[in-house]
């Protein structure tokens, strides 16, 4: 017995041993499951994420009930600091709250100069976080780590992701200034306040959804991510526990081992590789690397398999990760991570996952010696999503050669592929001056590179920034044509109303799809994020939409797609609906009655082209 109100002492002991470089007696499991706990207890989101007693006891009660080893507290880790800087929050009954950065906190240097550093003991929900962590220690004896929003991710929250990427290209000085401010005035004081407020505290863990591949390139990782994480550690007394462990993109690194070297430099206590990357790269390759370093290791089991997998699939994944993770001379410094039990995860699946862990520990190992992960493993769906962010495997698209074009159009094409907006603009003017028809400039020069860019993204050769930069260069060229197009009332290929569904604040994928559609000549009416059915229907009617496109990134918000499609049908609105987003599948699309499904941006464009053509031929 621990002498504390909640007894997690056995698991905590193992975790602490691993964090201090020692061997554990058994493989402990950590997780992220606040949303599941909230749903399981039937507590409203506003109450759960603003009352320390409700939040901490709610998490502990449910985690104790399901037999988890180590207390887990994950709040809306990406919004607390941005909220304290004046960002707007969106609150939901059954979901994590989230920052709504539709109106960004910072647009330029003036906005940055006006920003006030928050007081961690007073501002917004920073004191709530500190109090939750203090209470967790009081109730369990575990000085739970603080999760902070990593510098790049916080910059993306206060500026918006696309604007940040653009600024990295066009005004890197400003980005460095912003990152300095965020590290020195926001994050370091917040983390240092935590070290004072929670006496046994040792760990501050960065959450960084967009600070890694393929959201930024490897060069950007080196320039904008790593130095600021190092600086933050320095400002927090050089503690090894000030780290940032949840980078993605291992499967897209030129050289995964080099990428892991960087990961270890920002998270010296251990290497964490999580799904879908872990499954794609393969557990054995990661294990071999960790052996050469003698470092502690953690594998993360993906959200989707935990929510939707069969008992056999869940057990296979858990057992492979535990077996390979705990192999070899450093295998006792291994812990397992369940990436997330969402509100939609059936309680039975949580039991199956925890039971799989216990069976493995007890020696009941029906899949012993079997490896399912790795590049030659199973279809991408099994990797925790249908591709990863709509990106496939590298080899697929290599060697494609485009059609022959006139020199001027080829030059326009090349300028977009080289992200050179100024050159693109000059070339489009030259083409106009030499009498090339506007439609030809579009069809031969400006639109084709967007198809190529989409293909390169789908095959993993381009990352998100390259796609954004190409779209921007193309738009610069398009601006030259816009007055002529408007004057001639040139019709777009079709009108698409795009939205991320209610409850969901993810928009990077939707925006890429929107850009590709614009690049293909469609007019896109973008309703942004967190959008209700009524708004979508009203807009589709107003703009006479040819297609409605819905995006969702959370398994918890996917059900809104069904509701929206039902309402569209009830309204008698005859507009085809297409759906997409990481957790959405073709089967789900069929099931909710969508007219189409796009695995990635190029597929969404093809789909809209087909649906518009079908609509036209039906009307003829
Ligand atoms: Co979030 N997040 N996140 N997050 N985030 C996920 C989705 C998650 C899987 C990570 C994890 O825990 N393993 C998990 C969801 C678990 C679940 O499903 N229940 C998660 C969570 C839990 C959360 C929060 C709740 C975290 C918290 O607060 N504790 C919170 C939720 C807020 C909310 O929405 N209510 C949150 C917040 C954030 C950030 C703000 C930090 C950031 C979003 C920034 C932004 O969008 N402006 C973020 C990010 C970046 C991610 C990950 C890392 C990446 C998502 C992404 O942008 N992918 C994600 C992990 C993952 O996916 N593995 C994760 C890149 C993008 C290009 O891909 O959107 O799939 P994607 O788009 C592709 C295709 O899917 C397709 O084309 C695109 C390009 O090819 N496509 C379409 C997309 N839309 C389409 C529409 C179409 C057709 C095709 O037709 C209309």
């Amino acid at each position: 017995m621990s002498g504390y109100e909640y007894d997690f002492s056995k698991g905590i002991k193992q975790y602490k041993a691993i964090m201090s470089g020692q061997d554990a007696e058994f493989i402990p499991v950590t997780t992220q499951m606040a949303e599941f706990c909230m749903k399981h207890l039937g507590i409203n989101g506003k109450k759960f994420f603003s009352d320390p007693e409700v939040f901490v006891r709610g998490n502990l009660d449910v985690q104790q009930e399901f037999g988890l080893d180590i207390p887990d507290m994950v709040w809306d880790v990406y919004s607390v600091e941005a909220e304290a800087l004046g960002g707007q929050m969106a609150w939901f009954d059954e979901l994590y709250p989230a920052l709504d950065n539709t109106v960004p906190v910072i647009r330029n240097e003036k906005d940055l100069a006006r920003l006030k550093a928050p007081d961690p003991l007073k501002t917004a929900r920073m004191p709530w976080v500190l109090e939750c962590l203090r209470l967790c220690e009081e109730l369990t004896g575990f000085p739970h780590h603080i999760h902070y929003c990593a510098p790049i991710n916080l910059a993306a929250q206060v500026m918006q992701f696309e604007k940040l990427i653009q600024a990295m290209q066009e005004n890197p000085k400003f980005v460095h200034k912003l990152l300095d401010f965020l590290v020195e005035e926001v994050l370091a004081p917040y983390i240092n306040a935590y070290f004072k407020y929670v006496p046994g505290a040792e760990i501050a863990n960065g959450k960084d959804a967009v600070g890694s591949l393929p959201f930024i390139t490897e060069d950007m990782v080196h320039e904008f991510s790593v130095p600021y994480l190092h600086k933050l550690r320095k400002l927090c007394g050089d503690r090894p526990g000030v780290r940032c462990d949840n980078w993605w993109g291992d499967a897209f690194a030129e050289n995964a081992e080099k990428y892991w070297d960087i990961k270890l430099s920002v998270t010296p206590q251990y290497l964490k590789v999580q799904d879908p990357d872990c499954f794609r790269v393969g557990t054995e390759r990661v294990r071999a690397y960790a052996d050469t370093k003698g470092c502690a290791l953690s594998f993360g089991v993906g959200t989707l398999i935990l929510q939707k997998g069969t008992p056999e699939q869940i057990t296979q994944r858990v057992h492979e990760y535990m077996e390979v993770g705990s192999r070899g001379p450093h295998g006792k410094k291994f812990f397992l991570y369940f990436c997330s039990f969402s509100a939609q995860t059936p309680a039975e699946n949580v039991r199956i996952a925890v039971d799989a862990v216990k069976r493995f520990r007890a020696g009941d190992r029906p899949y012993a010696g079997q490896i399912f992960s790795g590049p030659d493993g199973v279809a991408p769906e099994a990797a925790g999503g249908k591709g990863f962010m709509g990106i496939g495997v590298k080899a697929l698209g290599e060697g494609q050669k485009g059609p022959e074009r006139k020199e001027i159009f080829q030059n326009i094409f090349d300028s977009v592929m080289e992200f050179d907006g100024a050159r693109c603009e000059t070339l489009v003017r030259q083409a106009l001056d030499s009498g090339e028809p506007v439609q030809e400039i579009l069809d031969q020069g400006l639109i084709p590179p967007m198809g190529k860019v989409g293909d390169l993204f789908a095959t993993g050769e381009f990352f998100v920034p390259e796609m954004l930069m190409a779209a921007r260069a193309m738009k610069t060229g398009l601006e030259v044509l816009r007055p002529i197009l408007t004057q001639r009332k040139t019709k777009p290929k079709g009108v698409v109303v795009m939205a991320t569904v209610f409850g969901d604040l993810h928009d990077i994928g939707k925006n890429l799809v929107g850009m590709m559609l614009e690049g293909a000549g469609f007019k896109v009416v973008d309703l942004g994020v967190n959008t209700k059915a009524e708004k979508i229907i009203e807009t589709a009617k107003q703009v006479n939409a040819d297609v409605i496109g819905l995006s969702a990134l959370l398994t918890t918000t996917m059900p809104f797609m069904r509701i929206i499609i039902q309402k569209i049908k009830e309204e008698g609105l005859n507009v085809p609906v297409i759906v997409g987003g990481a957790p959405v599948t073709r089967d789900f699309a069929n099931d909710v009655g969508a007219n189409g499904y796009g695995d990635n941006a190029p597929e969404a464009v093809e789909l809209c082209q087909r649906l518009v053509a079908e609509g036209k031929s039906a009307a003829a």
Side-chain angles (χ1 to χ4, degrees):
M1 286 302 286
S2 66
Y4 290 95
E5 197 171 325
Y6 293 85
D7 186 3
F8 288 92
S9 55
K10 285 190 190 138
I12 293 170
K13 191 175 160 206
Q14 311 316 316
Y15 183 72
K16 281 190 164 175
I18 296 170
M19 286 305 119
S20 54
Q22 288 154 25
D23 287 351
E25 288 152 23
F26 61 84
I27 302 169
V29 183
T30 63
T31 179
Q32 168 178 192
M33 64 187 302
E35 209 181 58
F36 175 86
C37 298
M38 173 178 79
K39 178 88 185 290
H40 190 68
L41 295 170
I43 301 174
N44 164 285
K46 180 89 197 181
K47 178 97 184 132
F48 196 75
F49 289 99
S50 53
D51 181 328
E53 283 277 335
V54 173
F55 180 78
V56 175
R57 286 185 185 277
N59 274 296
L60 294 176
D61 284 337
V62 177
Q63 288 161 30
Q64 193 161 268
E65 176 188 335
F66 284 85
L68 273 306
D69 292 320
I70 301 161
D72 159 69
M73 305 283 139
V74 178
W75 50 93
D76 48 315
V77 288
Y78 295 111
S79 27
V80 172
E81 297 91 329
E83 183 189 12
L85 285 166
Q88 290 301 306
M89 289 297 294
W91 289 88
F92 307 102
D93 284 343
E94 294 193 350
L95 305 167
Y96 281 100
L99 185 89
D100 181 352
N101 64 2
T102 318
V103 183
V105 174
I106 296 176
R107 285 155 303 166
N108 49 39
E109 305 246 2
K110 272 191 195 155
D111 288 342
L112 177 56
R114 266 196 295 267
L115 271 197
K116 270 209 206 122
D119 178 343
L121 298 177
K122 288 193 186 137
T123 315
R125 276 182 311 139
M126 282 181 162
W128 172 76
V129 169
L130 299 180
E131 180 50 21
C132 287
L133 296 169
R134 190 206 59 76
L135 185 59
C136 178
E137 183 173 29
E138 183 186 309
L139 297 176
T140 63
F142 182 48
H144 194 290
H145 33 276
I146 190 167
H147 296 289
Y148 67 89
C149 183
I152 285 251
N153 215 113
L154 184 52
Q157 290 291 69
V158 293
M159 275 186 80
Q160 290 177 340
F161 175 73
E162 286 84 358
K163 302 245 169 66
L164 174 68
I165 297 294
Q166 191 186 327
M168 284 173 171
Q169 294 302 308
E170 293 169 5
N171 194 356
K173 254 186 166 170
F174 169 65
V175 177
H176 285 296
K177 202 169 162 189
L178 171 61
L179 289 167
D180 276 332
F181 170 80
L182 296 175
V183 168
E184 290 163 16
E185 307 283 335
V186 183
L187 294 171
Y190 180 42
I191 294 168
N192 283 324
Y194 155 74
F195 285 130
K196 278 198 194 130
Y197 201 79
V198 181
E202 284 163 10
I203 297 174
N205 200 16
K207 290 286 169 187
D208 203 2
V210 299
S212 56
L213 312 180
F215 296 95
I216 56 177
T217 60
E218 290 203 38
D219 287 347
M220 289 170 165
V221 168
H222 285 292
E223 180 174 353
F224 297 102
S225 212
V226 175
Y228 291 95
L229 291 163
H230 286 165
K231 182 174 192 177
L232 184 61
R233 186 179 307 137
K234 209 166 178 0
L235 292 173
C236 297
D238 263 329
R239 300 168 194 246
V242 178
R243 67 194 193 199
C244 179
D245 79 349
N246 80 328
W247 281 4
W248 310 92
D250 317 61
F252 297 106
E254 277 299 313
N255 177 329
E257 283 73 12
K258 277 201 178 141
Y259 193 55
W260 293 329
D261 286 344
I262 309 171
K263 281 177 100 170
L264 274 182
S265 92
V266 298
T267 305
Q269 289 178 318
Y270 67 107
L271 175 70
K272 174 164 151 189
V273 183
Q274 58 190 326
D275 284 339
D277 293 290
C278 186
F279 194 83
R280 290 203 151 198
V281 175
T283 47
E284 290 188 308
R285 182 168 170 192
V286 193
R287 178 69 269 172
Y289 170 87
D291 282 342
T292 62
K293 299 284 163 181
C295 64
L297 180 64
S298 178
F299 290 148
V301 178
T303 307
L304 275 181
I305 196 151
L306 292 169
Q307 179 173 327
K308 296 186 170 165
T310 60
E312 190 188 20
Q313 286 169 331
I314 296 172
T315 310
Q316 270 175 3
R317 182 75 57 96
V318 168
H319 281 204
E320 176 187 334
Y321 284 18
M322 290 179 84
E323 181 180 324
V324 180
S326 60
R327 256 189 211 157
H330 304 285
K332 289 205 160 127
K333 289 182 293 220
F334 172 77
F335 66 98
L336 190 71
Y337 172 59
F338 290 135
C339 291
S340 165
F341 289 120
S342 69
Q344 302 274 310
T345 308
E348 190 48 28
N349 283 23
V350 182
R351 285 196 189 93
I352 289 164
V354 175
D355 192 49
V357 170
K358 292 189 173 152
R359 280 172 61 192
F360 183 89
R361 284 183 195 150
D364 174 9
R365 300 176 185 179
Y367 308 108
Q370 294 186 48
I371 302 297
F372 303 93
S373 70
D376 303 324
V378 202
E381 300 83 71
K386 52 177 182 226
F388 181 35
M389 303 169 183
I391 305 176
V393 282
K394 278 208 165 162
L396 281 181
E398 277 165 15
Q400 285 176 6
K401 201 171 178 319
E404 293 287 318
R405 315 188 165 80
K406 260 190 179 174
E407 196 185 344
I408 182 74
F409 297 140
Q410 185 60 45
N411 289 342
I412 293 175
F413 181 101
D414 292 343
S415 68
V416 175
M417 295 308 295
E418 286 153 16
F419 321 133
D420 192 342
R423 187 169 139 73
C424 182
E425 186 184 332
T426 310
L427 288 165
V428 171
R429 282 192 204 288
Q430 269 175 23
L432 274 180
D433 291 346
S434 58
E436 296 295 349
V438 172
Q439 200 59 46
E440 288 287 293
I441 302 177
L442 275 173
D443 290 345
Q444 300 287 324
L446 285 172
I447 292 180
M450 291 314 287
K452 176 81 180 169
V453 164
D455 289 345
L456 289 173
F457 181 73
T459 55
E461 280 161 80
F462 266 14
F463 289 166
V464 177
E466 283 121 346
M467 206 160 158
L468 292 173
M469 291 186 295
R472 215 175 135 67
M474 183 265 186
K475 275 193 174 171
T476 315
L478 196 61
E479 282 311 311
V480 179
L481 302 181
R482 200 177 294 282
I484 307 167
L485 293 170
T486 323
Q487 216 176 28
R488 290 194 196 159
K489 298 208 164 57
T490 309
K491 281 200 162 177
K493 301 250 156 84
V495 179
V496 184
V497 171
M498 287 284 297
T500 300
V501 301
F502 179 68
D504 205 320
L505 282 290
H506 293 84
D507 64 358
I508 298 173
K510 168 191 68 73
N511 295 348
L512 290 179
V513 173
M515 275 173 214
M516 290 289 297
L517 281 167
E518 280 181 350
F522 284 85
K523 177 176 175 190
V524 175
V525 181
D526 186 351
L527 295 179
V529 293
N530 192 19
T531 321
K532 288 193 172 159
E534 293 70 22
K535 177 84 187 154
I536 295 168
I537 294 170
E538 188 193 310
T539 312
K541 282 182 185 166
Q542 262 171 19
V543 302
N544 208 5
D546 295 292
V547 180
I548 294 174
L550 304 177
S551 185
L553 260 288
L554 298 169
T555 51
T556 32
T557 56
M558 282 164 61
F560 290 113
M561 290 181 156
R562 186 190 298 278
I563 295 172
I564 295 169
I565 291 169
Q566 260 167 11
K567 288 207 173 149
I568 289 172
K569 286 189 180 147
E570 279 162 25
E571 283 278 323
L573 189 62
N574 192 17
V575 181
V577 180
I578 67 165
V579 294
V584 180
T585 60
R586 228 169 275 280
D587 285 350
F588 176 82
N590 287 336
D591 190 43
V592 296
N595 302 76
Y597 158 80
D599 218 13
N600 51 32
E603 239 185 78
V605 173
E606 268 178 46
L607 194 57
C608 288
Q609 283 163 337
R610 184 164 57 73
L611 288 167
V612 169
E614 282 171 9
K616 282 192 182 140
S617 60

